[in-house]
Amino acid sequence: MIYENDSYLKPYEEKIKLRLKRIEDLRNSISSGASLSSAINNHMYYGLHKDAKEWVFREYAPNATRIYLIGDFNNWKRTSAYQLQALSGGDWELRLSERFLHEGQHYKIYIEWPGGAATRLPAYLTRAVQDEYTKDFTAQVIDDSKQYKWKYSRASRKDNPLIYECHIGMSSEEEEVANFDYFRINILPKVAKLGYNTIQIMALQEHPYYGSFGYQVSNFFALSSRFGSIDSFKALVDEAHRLDIAVVMDIVHSHSVSNEAEGLSLFDGKDDLYFYSGEKGYHPAWGSRCFNYSKSQTIYFLLSNCKYWLETFNLDGFRFDGVTSMLYWDHGLGKDFVGYDNYFNEGVDESAVAYLALANMLIKEIYPDAITIAEDVSGMPGLATSFEEGGIGFDFRMAMGVADHWIKWIKEKSDEQWSMGEIYYELSNKREDERTISYAECHDQALVGDKTIIFRLIDKEMYTAMNKSSNSLIVDRGVALHKMIRLLTLVCAGDGYLNFMGNEFGHPEWIDFPREGNNWSYKYARRQWSLAEPDYLRYKYLRDFDEVMIQFFRTNKILSEKAISLRLDEQKQVLIIERKNCIFVFNFSPNNSYQDYGFNVAGGEYHMCFNTDESRFDGFSRLQDAEVHYTVDDIFEHEDAEASQSLYLYIPSRSALVLKKKLL
């Protein structure tokens, strides 16, 4: 158990046991001794479904007094033929002959309640479309009796995910909203060539405001129609699986958009149908609605949502957004999580903890090899530990502090002030009982108001000196550090790595979705892939380096073994790390190169696999490509007693070397 492996958790043993019992009791109350999966089927009961003879529509609205189905099939009028009948427990139902509805028709529901009435979109709808001119959203009739025929099974198990984070809409170079077919045809081959084995797709759940990046969800079971049809997304997943690329969905269960016409807020006239009532039900920073995870209807709604996406679209897993906001009553806003008491006091929403644990159990029941990732900044112990070991059950947590530290070092310190000990500690500081996904930057750092690493390093020179023939010390520094930062982050990564779409080649523009402030322009809501094609621009060389780096780590399964520090040389700014049977040598000194730099290693023959200074990566070619190095009988004092010999290298300034030991 986690409190047996971590002495700091021992004082909280009883609280952890109480938490686990709460989770187990909730699971048993839902499953009634059977599996969770067999008990979680709300999405198959509610919403609009078609069987062999009729359409059946059901809705949960306990405060409603009357409900009508309205649409282009009845001129949007409330008629008795389309009036739902009240069932027990707040459920409503309408049964229609198949001739009354046809696939593709648009509809809403009209709900009356004591003192009011309004049109709403069904809570469990699976398709919402937006009118091009009015911008109004309506539900669309989908015949779910028609089944897509999958060609390929899910991707192989990814113990060490190399994740390409992507957004379908902004994947085109044109100033437009790209669709699933475009991504499948044009972007998936790029991902496969780079070597990433997993894609993490943002903004799949329907959201009224495109610029929310998909994090203000209105319709939790609806695939966003702005990116194409349901079958076109399934074809994308199918093609990814053909390429053995796992598909992870960015799922939002931390909050819901506050919109009433499109979302769940005040759905049946009351504010507490799925949410906390009153002030507690509104997120103070996001302006959205906060789910009440203690309500059974909310738990069933969200668990069914996990099952629906996983089964309907053959997904390989989920990255849960905003987990910190779920776990704490104050949503973790403006809070420094110093000390373990933060994780076991009245400030924790234990109902949210229980929900997340059940979500992980359900997902693994349905697909044991599924990937679940938690986005959490609080560092709650046990979050990415199995329930059997006393945890909540995520496979991985995001190492979110890594990106913040890179920003801090680049912004606040000169190159000469970078500490090898501090960098290595912050990049490798992880709980032993949890697995993590590291990244130098994700989509957050690319948004307007922030800066990508390449922009922090090069700034305005991006617009004038990215030509290969230009002579710019600023660009030379930026290109060199861009490669080194990404390689070191990957070398120190716990168990997986993430890169946001386009950042691998140092995409020159920020992300700014169309809005009133930019005259609804798509200029910055796209990716300029063509910049990485010409030989005369430096972007190509950054992309080529990323490809070699990712392919090397994937082929050699570097992340399957822990990283070990061999040398932290503060004076010379040299950092040497061993991982698996490879040696990674970093010289962060901006001015000093070192001849015959020696350090202890296991004896043998070491081959230079690649280095950041190669001309093919826009380097200065100060090293001989594919050079072979042999150890000698020379042991430095106070170093690894297990090392039998030493290696001497030439290490150019501001460069990194990758050596692989020849195995006998």
Side-chain angles (χ1 to χ4, degrees), residues 182-401:
Y182 179 91
F183 189 92
R184 172 176 54 82
I185 295 168
N186 297 283
I187 309 306
L188 268 180
K190 296 181 188 292
V191 178
K193 186 174 186 296
L194 287 168
Y196 291 89
N197 61 20
T198 304
I199 55 173
Q200 178 180 301
I201 307 181
M202 309 169 65
L204 288 176
Q205 294 168 294
E206 191 59 86
H207 47 290
Y209 179 45
Y210 185 49
S212 74
F213 232 143
Y215 292 123
Q216 292 270 346
V217 173
S218 54
N219 314 108
F220 287 79
F221 291 84
L223 180 72
S224 182
S225 60
R226 56 170 60 87
F227 306 132
S229 70
I230 291 173
D231 279 358
S232 65
F233 178 57
K234 290 180 178 179
L236 186 162
V237 175
D238 228 359
E239 177 63 10
H241 288 163
R242 184 187 72 80
L243 297 168
D244 196 28
I245 296 174
V247 182
V248 171
M249 172 187 174
D250 209 345
I251 197 167
V252 182
H253 283 177
S254 48
H255 63 134
S256 174
V257 70
S258 59
N259 301 35
E260 297 169 16
E262 297 92 358
L264 300 173
S265 189
L266 299 180
F267 185 78
D268 62 354
K270 295 187 69 176
D271 71 344
D272 65 347
L273 184 62
Y274 295 101
F275 311 109
Y276 291 109
S277 183
E279 186 177 347
K280 185 189 286 187
Y282 290 85
H283 199 289
W286 300 341
S288 51
R289 298 304 312 275
C290 298
F291 284 111
N292 182 348
Y293 303 102
S294 67
K295 293 192 71 170
S296 61
Q297 198 64 31
T298 303
I299 291 288
Y300 277 91
F301 179 84
L302 295 176
L303 289 178
S304 294
N305 195 237
C306 294
K307 183 175 181 178
Y308 169 78
W309 285 99
L310 192 63
E311 291 189 334
T312 303
F313 297 102
N314 225 23
L315 299 180
D316 301 276
F318 299 100
R319 179 258 200 189
F320 280 74
D321 177 69
V323 168
T324 306
S325 181
M326 300 170 70
L327 292 175
Y328 306 95
W329 293 113
D330 62 6
H331 308 294
L333 298 173
K335 186 173 182 178
D336 292 324
F337 289 90
V338 179
Y340 278 30
D341 185 57
N342 286 285
Y343 312 121
F344 306 101
N345 60 31
E346 293 182 355
V348 176
D349 184 351
E350 292 293 345
S351 294
V353 174
Y355 163 68
L356 289 170
L358 260 60
N360 277 285
M361 292 177 188
L362 174 68
I363 292 164
K364 291 307 175 68
E365 262 189 30
I366 297 171
Y367 180 44
D369 287 340
I371 300 168
T372 58
I373 307 168
E375 187 214 27
D376 170 56
V377 297
S378 75
M380 176 177 279
L383 186 65
T385 307
S386 70
F387 178 75
E388 291 72 22
E389 289 296 316
I392 298 173
F394 283 98
D395 293 300
F396 304 92
R397 70 157 73 240
M398 304 296 295
M400 300 181 70

Side-chain angles (χ1 to χ4, degrees), residues 91 99 116 133 155 166 182 192 226 229 254 266 283 288 335 366 375 434 486 533 540 551 557 609 614:
D91 289 342
R99 64 186 176 85
Y133 301 103
C166 48
Y182 179 91
R226 56 170 60 87
S229 70
S254 48
L266 299 180
H283 199 289
S288 51
K335 186 173 182 178
I366 297 171
E375 187 214 27
E434 293 188 332
R486 303 178 98 72
E533 295 305 322
K540 174 185 186 298
Q551 289 282 12
K557 300 181 180 179
C609 297
E614 294 181 52

Side-chain angles (χ1 to χ4, degrees), residues 615-635:
S615 60
R616 60 175 174 156
F617 305 138
D618 196 26
F620 295 100
S621 297
R622 290 171 289 178
L623 291 162
Q624 181 179 330
D625 295 347
E627 190 172 15
V628 179
H629 297 270
Y630 299 91
T631 57
V632 297
D633 294 322
D634 182 10
I635 301 297

Side-chain angles (χ1 to χ4, degrees), residues 9-271:
L9 284 175
K10 196 64 179 174
Y12 304 98
E13 178 179 348
E14 293 306 315
K15 290 187 176 182
I16 294 173
K17 287 180 177 178
L18 187 63
R19 175 176 290 175
L20 297 178
K21 185 178 184 305
R22 181 190 183 111
I23 295 168
E24 192 164 18
D25 288 346
L26 181 58
R27 177 181 62 184
N28 292 338
S29 69
I30 293 174
S31 62
S32 300
S35 66
L36 264 180
S37 181
S38 62
I40 300 299
N41 292 299
N42 273 30
H43 58 292
M44 299 173 69
Y45 179 78
Y46 295 110
L48 181 64
H49 302 282
K50 186 183 181 185
D51 61 22
K53 297 180 180 179
E54 64 180 355
W55 295 93
V56 181
F57 176 76
R58 298 188 187 92
E59 191 58 81
Y60 174 70
N63 192 48
T65 56
R66 193 176 288 118
I67 302 179
Y68 296 92
L69 198 68
I70 59 173
D72 47 20
F73 41 79
N74 60 9
N75 293 317
W76 301 95
K77 304 294 185 182
R78 302 189 296 278
T79 61
S80 58
Y82 292 90
Q83 182 177 344
L84 278 68
Q85 302 302 310
L87 305 178
S88 60
D91 289 342
W92 296 77
E93 181 184 84
L94 173 65
R95 292 179 176 270
L96 294 168
S97 169
E98 60 180 348
R99 64 186 176 85
F100 278 78
L101 290 176
H102 301 287
E103 188 165 37
Q105 290 181 314
H106 298 168
Y107 70 99
K108 295 184 179 183
I109 53 176
Y110 186 88
I111 304 181
E112 298 178 5
W113 58 78
T119 57
R120 294 286 187 259
L121 296 185
Y124 287 82
L125 70 86
T126 56
R127 186 71 172 172
V129 293
Q130 187 176 24
D131 185 273
E132 181 181 356
Y133 301 103
T134 67
K135 304 303 180 183
D136 184 37
F137 277 87
T138 58
Q140 190 171 41
V141 176
I142 296 293
D143 185 352
D144 59 357
S145 66
K146 298 178 181 178
Q147 296 296 318
Y148 177 89
K149 293 183 179 179
W150 295 99
K151 299 175 183 176
Y152 306 98
S153 57
R154 286 183 169 98
S156 61
R157 180 184 176 91
K158 308 301 179 191
D159 290 319
N160 300 110
L162 298 167
I163 302 173
Y164 199 78
E165 184 187 28
C166 48
H167 184 282
I168 301 298
M170 59 177 290
S171 64
S172 170
E173 185 148 356
E174 302 300 320
E175 296 183 25
E176 62 184 7
V177 178
N179 59 31
F180 296 123
D181 290 335
Y182 179 91
F183 189 92
R184 172 176 54 82
I185 295 168
N186 297 283
I187 309 306
L188 268 180
K190 296 181 188 292
V191 178
K193 186 174 186 296
L194 287 168
Y196 291 89
N197 61 20
T198 304
I199 55 173
Q200 178 180 301
I201 307 181
M202 309 169 65
L204 288 176
Q205 294 168 294
E206 191 59 86
H207 47 290
Y209 179 45
Y210 185 49
S212 74
F213 232 143
Y215 292 123
Q216 292 270 346
V217 173
S218 54
N219 314 108
F220 287 79
F221 291 84
L223 180 72
S224 182
S225 60
R226 56 170 60 87
F227 306 132
S229 70
I230 291 173
D231 279 358
S232 65
F233 178 57
K234 290 180 178 179
L236 186 162
V237 175
D238 228 359
E239 177 63 10
H241 288 163
R242 184 187 72 80
L243 297 168
D244 196 28
I245 296 174
V247 182
V248 171
M249 172 187 174
D250 209 345
I251 197 167
V252 182
H253 283 177
S254 48
H255 63 134
S256 174
V257 70
S258 59
N259 301 35
E260 297 169 16
E262 297 92 358
L264 300 173
S265 189
L266 299 180
F267 185 78
D268 62 354
K270 295 187 69 176
D271 71 344

